Amino acid sequence: TTNTMGCQPVSDSLVLTIDGVPIADAGENINVCSGTEQVQLNGIIFNAASGTWGTNGTGVFSPSPNSLDAIYIFSEQDMLNGSVLLSLTAISMGVCSSAVDTMTIDMINPLVADFSWTGQCEQSTIQFSNQTLINAGTIESFEWKFGDGDQSLVENPSHIYENADTYDVQLTVHSNLGCNDSTIIQVQISSSPVAGFTWEETDALFNVQFLDASLGATQFLWDFGDNNGTSILENPDYRS
């Protein structure tokens, strides 16, 4: 105060404290493989007394939502929904408002394993073909199990079964995103047909009745050996 009336000047002071604005960093949005049960969090806060996690899902934070490096454990409903939104709140130490940051976790299935095959006879080549559906990323590796103890790591393998039977063939595909998927399909392998026949003359004009005696045959092709006659009937008659 200025001394204008003979009074002594006086002064006063105050301390002005500027609080830092709270900052929360929940982390980047991430994708995890379908079936993943939990994910590690790494939250960061600045200018805050504490931080706490929240979710729009029904999972839980371990050991607690107040731990910045908590583990989020997905609920069954989270997995069914396929996505969950997490929030990290930086709680203010003073008069400034608390800050909130969010991250989204999407549960993806980048691969849907599938295959087809051609051939079905024992002791013959069966060709398997990868038919996997790729939703994201790429396939890094293949693993085939043919159900008879043999395996293969190539994309489109061939295989020979020694015996007729039904085999559980499994294809497992591994994604560059760290996910994998597997499918098992039953493959029926049939016995190879064994050709055989008998014949008898039916009249004096040398008409011959051929009778199929094959095992496991469903289609037929006859060649009567005279460079002329053929038939696709099971039991043809023929006159040369």
Side-chain angles (χ1 to χ4, degrees):
T1 301
T2 303
N3 179 10
T4 60
M5 301 295 295
C7 298
Q8 293 296 318
V10 296
S11 65
D12 192 15
S13 66
L14 62 84
V15 176
L16 180 61
T17 302
I18 306 299
D19 290 337
V21 176
I23 298 174
D25 183 0
E28 298 293 329
N29 297 335
I30 60 174
N31 294 327
V32 298
C33 302
S34 295
T36 299
E37 296 182 351
Q38 60 188 36
V39 64
Q40 177 70 57
L41 304 177
N42 293 287
I44 300 173
I45 59 173
F46 297 98
N47 305 321
S50 61
T52 185
W53 289 98
T55 175
N56 72 340
T58 55
V60 297
F61 297 93
S62 176
S64 80
N66 298 322
S67 175
L68 294 178
D69 58 353
I71 294 173
Y72 183 72
I73 303 172
F74 298 106
S75 66
E76 290 186 9
Q77 189 61 51
D78 289 343
M79 294 183 181
L80 289 174
N81 292 340
S83 180
V84 65
L85 179 71
L86 303 184
S87 62
L88 176 62
T89 301
I91 300 174
S92 174
M93 295 184 294
V95 297
C96 299
S97 299
S98 297
V100 180
D101 188 37
T102 61
M103 65 180 296
T104 300
I105 303 176
D106 289 317
M107 285 155 272
I108 64 171
N109 188 11
L111 303 176
V112 180
D114 193 16
F115 65 89
S116 61
W117 68 95
T118 57
Q120 67 178 75
C121 294
E122 64 179 356
Q123 301 180 17
S124 298
T125 299
I126 309 299
Q127 181 64 53
F128 291 93
S129 299
N130 168 53
Q131 300 289 332
T132 297
L133 175 64
I134 302 175
N135 294 319
T138 60
I139 301 176
E140 273 196 339
S141 62
F142 302 84
E143 182 181 355
W144 295 82
K145 295 181 180 180
F146 298 114
D148 61 354
D150 286 348
Q151 302 182 28
S152 177
L153 300 178
V154 303
E155 179 177 359
N156 299 303
S158 59
H159 186 64
I160 295 176
Y161 290 96
E162 294 299 324
N163 301 301
D165 204 342
T166 299
Y167 296 90
D168 291 330
V169 179
Q170 181 177 16
L171 170 62
T172 302
V173 287
H174 301 271
S175 168
N176 68 323
L177 301 177
C179 307
N180 60 70
D181 192 47
S182 181
T183 186
I184 297 175
I185 301 177
Q186 287 193 331
V187 175
Q188 177 70 49
I189 301 299
S190 302
S191 299
S192 297
V194 178
F197 67 90
T198 61
W199 73 93
E200 59 185 22
E201 293 185 18
T202 58
D203 55 40
L205 298 178
F206 303 106
N207 286 328
V208 178
Q209 177 70 57
F210 292 93
L211 301 174
D212 168 51
S214 303
L215 299 176
T218 58
Q219 294 180 312
F220 307 89
L221 176 60
W222 294 83
D223 182 341
F224 298 114
D226 58 358
N227 297 320
N228 184 39
T230 60
S231 177
I232 59 173
L233 299 177
E234 181 178 3
N235 299 302
D237 55 34
Y238 185 68
R239 178 180 178 183
S240 176

